[in-house]
Amino acid sequence: MQQRWLALILGLVVNAFGNGLSVASNMGTSPWTASEVNLSHWLGGSVGLWIAIISSLAAVANQFLIHRWDPRRLFGEIGFILFFSSFVDLFVGLFDRLGIMRLNAGVRLLLALTGICIFCTAISLYQRANLVMHPNDDTTNILRFLYCRGNVVKAQLLSFTPPVAIILVSWLNTHQLYAVNWGTLFTLLFNGVLIGLADRLVWPHLHHNFQTKSTGMTPHSAA
């Protein structure tokens, strides 16, 4: 249990760091974060605010996907996202002040890809801990184990459908795309692969603790 709590805390902060780096580089980020960046430009408000709004809605949707009322999961995910969204705004502001946009496009792309690899590793950590999770990543976990027979790549691609739709609607209204670039394509192609690699290579003794039934059964025993 101590390892699981450590994985949760590390995953939360490191995920926010990776997202902040990819957003500040403006060379593409994950579809979910890109959708929230585009909503920020379209409707106003900070990226963190839209992360909190969209992800809270995802937390509610997860209750339907697991076919049962789980208040601990719901309010835990909303609590997670309130901290996470604040950290993302903090890191985006930090990287902006460091002048990341003054770097050339090649360096910024490298930083964006680094940020994506970082947050994929973080996602792997707190998905396996499964104490409290980012709602969007919990959606992937639910899809992976309840609908996609454990295939993280299929689950990740399926979970990207809503943010892609949000990006398209925002683009139709602003005629601009923000945070959508080579990094976004990289995420679409390799996010699930990177999470799967991190499952095997980063802290391999931290097993998945995903609950498949309300009785608390898990695919693996707790680390």
Side-chain angles (χ1 to χ4, degrees), residues 64-155:
F64 292 94
L65 289 174
I66 62 174
H67 306 296
R68 62 187 172 89
W69 169 242
D70 188 342
R72 178 184 175 278
R73 192 185 207 121
L74 174 63
F75 295 113
E77 289 180 359
I78 291 175
F80 180 103
I81 204 62
L82 292 177
F83 283 101
F84 174 77
S85 58
S86 299
F87 276 116
V88 170
D89 274 345
L90 176 67
F91 284 123
V92 169
L94 173 63
F95 289 125
D96 283 342
R97 289 191 296 273
L98 290 174
I100 193 171
M101 285 301 295
R102 293 195 295 269
L103 301 173
N104 65 58
V107 174
R108 287 190 289 113
L109 176 59
L110 180 60
L111 290 174
L113 298 182
T114 300
I116 291 165
C117 292
I118 288 171
F119 69 62
C120 285
T121 300
I123 290 168
S124 168
L125 290 177
Y126 60 69
Q127 278 189 342
R128 281 180 280 160
N130 197 38
L131 290 167
V132 181
M133 209 180 302
H134 190 302
N136 299 337
D137 297 319
D138 191 30
T139 302
T140 303
N141 231 20
I142 293 167
L143 293 172
R144 177 181 183 178
F145 290 111
L146 296 185
Y147 298 90
C148 296
R149 300 184 178 182
N151 190 312
V152 66
V153 177
K154 290 182 180 178

Side-chain angles (χ1 to χ4, degrees), residues 24-219:
S25 71
N26 199 34
M27 292 300 291
T29 186
S30 75
W32 277 111
T33 306
S35 71
E36 291 145 357
V37 171
N38 279 275
L39 285 172
S40 174
H41 284 278
W42 174 25
L43 300 175
S46 71
V47 175
L49 173 64
W50 283 106
I51 289 175
I53 292 171
I54 297 299
S55 298
S56 294
L57 292 175
V60 175
N62 289 340
Q63 298 292 296
F64 292 94
L65 289 174
I66 62 174
H67 306 296
R68 62 187 172 89
W69 169 242
D70 188 342
R72 178 184 175 278
R73 192 185 207 121
L74 174 63
F75 295 113
E77 289 180 359
I78 291 175
F80 180 103
I81 204 62
L82 292 177
F83 283 101
F84 174 77
S85 58
S86 299
F87 276 116
V88 170
D89 274 345
L90 176 67
F91 284 123
V92 169
L94 173 63
F95 289 125
D96 283 342
R97 289 191 296 273
L98 290 174
I100 193 171
M101 285 301 295
R102 293 195 295 269
L103 301 173
N104 65 58
V107 174
R108 287 190 289 113
L109 176 59
L110 180 60
L111 290 174
L113 298 182
T114 300
I116 291 165
C117 292
I118 288 171
F119 69 62
C120 285
T121 300
I123 290 168
S124 168
L125 290 177
Y126 60 69
Q127 278 189 342
R128 281 180 280 160
N130 197 38
L131 290 167
V132 181
M133 209 180 302
H134 190 302
N136 299 337
D137 297 319
D138 191 30
T139 302
T140 303
N141 231 20
I142 293 167
L143 293 172
R144 177 181 183 178
F145 290 111
L146 296 185
Y147 298 90
C148 296
R149 300 184 178 182
N151 190 312
V152 66
V153 177
K154 290 182 180 178
Q156 192 75 72
L157 290 175
L158 186 59
S159 73
F160 282 157
T161 303
V164 170
I166 292 172
I167 290 169
L168 289 174
V169 172
S170 298
W171 173 72
L172 289 172
N173 282 273
T174 65
H175 306 291
Q176 297 288 333
L177 284 177
Y178 301 95
V180 178
N181 209 306
W182 290 110
T184 311
L185 178 61
F186 179 81
T187 307
L188 283 168
L189 293 175
F190 298 112
N191 203 11
V193 174
L194 290 168
I195 293 171
L197 284 173
D199 285 350
R200 296 193 298 272
L201 301 177
V202 180
W203 205 338
H205 298 298
L206 179 69
H207 298 300
H208 272 285
N209 291 275
F210 179 73
Q211 293 185 354
T212 58
K213 296 182 180 179
S214 58
T215 54
M217 296 176 61
T218 62

